[in-house]
């Protein structure tokens, strides 16, 4: 009984739980797994980028680079997983939606074979609205950084 509740929280999140927590599916699911989950505080999302990603066909032939907006989307999906788990969102009647993007910066291209480590932390949380800061890294290089917000929205039961 020496463990407190915070120590007992599972910090790794597998793909099955990600699929249960956010509505995104291939080819738009951009988080493969997550680790270092701290409720209401932070999470690290992992995306293994492969040459088979559909966007590489046109971005850019002969010089494949992951679009920056998709890196931001991957960070946002990671934030949505953090929100969903922290708030125990009922995914049958609610969805987490992007609200804003601020101060986006792109530093290093992401290419096939890279593993993106998406460090997302909560800057502010008020009820069903969270403000985040996210940094996407490949190795020790920052690929992108952004501030963003999301909210839980009532969507009704799934059809």
């Amino acid at each position: 009984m020496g463990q407190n509740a915070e120590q007992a929280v599972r910090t790794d999140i597998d793909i099955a739980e990600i699929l249960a927590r956010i509505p995104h599916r291939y080819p738009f699911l951009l988080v493969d797994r997550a680790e270092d989950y701290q409720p209401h505080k932070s999470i690290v999302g992992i995306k293994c980028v492969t040459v088979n990603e559909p966007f590489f066909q046109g971005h850019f032939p002969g010089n494949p680079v992951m679009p920056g907006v998709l890196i931001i989307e991957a960070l946002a999906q990671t934030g949505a997983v953090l929100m969903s788990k922290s708030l125990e969102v009922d995914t049958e009647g609610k969805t987490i939606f992007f609200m804003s993007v601020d101060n986006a910066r792109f530093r290093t291209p992401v290419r096939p074979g890279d593993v993106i480590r998406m460090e997302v932390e909560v800057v502010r949380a008020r009820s069903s609205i969270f403000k985040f800061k996210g940094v996407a890294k490949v190795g020790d290089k920052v690929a992108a950084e952004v501030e963003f917000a999301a909210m839980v929205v009532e969507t009704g039961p799934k059809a």
Side-chain angles (χ1 to χ4, degrees):
M1 275 238 178
Q3 279 189 329
N4 66 32
E6 194 169 48
Q7 289 173 323
V9 172
R10 198 177 93 239
T11 64
D12 290 347
I13 300 170
D14 63 16
I15 190 63
E17 184 171 357
I18 289 169
L19 289 169
R21 294 205 171 274
I22 62 175
H24 306 79
R25 296 297 181 264
Y26 179 85
F28 213 68
L29 180 63
L30 300 172
V31 182
D32 295 326
R33 62 186 167 86
E35 56 193 35
D36 299 332
Y37 164 72
Q38 294 181 34
H40 301 277
K41 292 181 185 174
S42 63
I43 193 168
V44 175
I46 305 296
K47 168 67 177 155
C48 299
V49 182
T50 72
V51 74
N52 296 324
E53 308 285 351
F55 48 79
F56 284 137
Q57 186 174 3
H59 199 270
F60 300 101
N63 184 25
V65 175
M66 184 172 181
V69 296
L70 293 182
I71 299 170
I72 301 299
E73 174 65 26
L75 285 159
Q77 289 180 20
T78 301
V81 172
L82 170 61
M83 280 183 76
S84 177
K85 191 168 177 72
S86 294
L87 298 174
E88 285 301 328
V89 173
D90 172 14
T91 58
E92 287 300 312
K94 297 178 183 172
T95 302
I96 297 169
F97 284 109
F98 229 162
M99 288 177 59
S100 67
V101 176
D102 296 301
N103 303 315
R105 301 283 184 264
F106 303 100
R107 308 286 185 204
T108 303
V110 174
R111 301 185 181 279
D114 287 344
V115 175
I116 308 172
R117 182 177 170 83
M118 298 169 289
E119 300 168 358
V120 175
E121 69 179 61
V122 176
V123 174
R124 185 172 52 246
R126 215 178 260 154
S127 171
S128 63
I129 299 174
F130 279 42
K131 174 105 177 171
F132 299 97
K133 179 177 181 177
V135 178
K137 295 180 178 177
V138 175
D140 61 353
K141 293 184 179 178
V142 173
E145 50 196 339
V146 67
E147 296 169 10
F148 61 97
M151 71 182 300
V152 179
V153 175
E154 296 274 344
T155 54
K158 292 180 183 175

